[in-house]
Amino acid sequence: MGKLISIWSFIRRRKYLITVVAFAVIIGFLDENSLVRRFGYEREISQLKEEIEKYRADYEENTKRLYEITTNPDAIEQIAREKYLMKKPNEDIYVFED
């Protein structure tokens, strides 16, 4: 019984501290909108924004290349030679790697 009284007096003396700590634990870790989840969401948002920028740059590059292909007939031959290593029957191809 003495131990119960000492615990109760400890709680009664530090009730505001215990309340603040409990609130911080609930908000920081246990809540549906906890700080841990918010930091994870922010990290995911930044990764998705980087991915969007990468795809936007790819789109712009492909749009330029498509315009070049439609306006310049020699561009088709250049792309076929560079990307697909195609050649004319009387040519030899040498590939240099960095």
Side-chain angles (χ1 to χ4, degrees):
M1 186 78 161
K3 191 158 185 112
L4 186 61
I5 292 172
S6 66
I7 291 173
W8 180 251
S9 67
F10 176 80
I11 291 173
R12 197 173 70 198
R13 280 183 284 163
R14 293 181 175 88
K15 60 185 167 191
Y16 295 115
L17 177 64
I18 293 171
T19 304
V20 169
V21 169
F23 179 74
V25 167
I26 289 171
I27 295 299
F29 301 104
L30 302 177
D31 189 35
E32 185 176 316
N33 298 319
S34 68
L35 295 175
V36 175
R37 286 187 184 174
R38 284 185 180 261
F39 290 134
Y41 293 151
E42 289 296 325
R43 186 171 10 105
E44 186 177 350
I45 286 171
S46 67
Q47 289 173 350
L48 290 174
K49 284 182 180 179
E50 290 174 4
E51 192 173 331
I52 286 170
E53 288 302 318
K54 183 186 85 162
Y55 286 129
R56 185 171 287 135
D58 287 346
Y59 172 76
E60 290 174 3
E61 180 183 336
N62 290 335
T63 303
K64 288 178 187 176
R65 193 170 276 239
L66 178 64
Y67 178 74
E68 183 181 339
I69 289 172
T70 56
T71 57
N72 186 5
D74 294 332
I76 296 172
E77 181 179 349
Q78 179 184 359
I79 291 172
R81 289 172 176 270
E82 290 176 359
K83 190 170 184 178
Y84 300 109
L85 301 175
M86 293 183 167
K87 66 180 185 90
K88 292 182 180 178
N90 58 355
E91 293 181 331
D92 292 331
I93 294 180
Y94 298 100
V95 179
F96 298 101
E97 294 183 10
D98 293 335

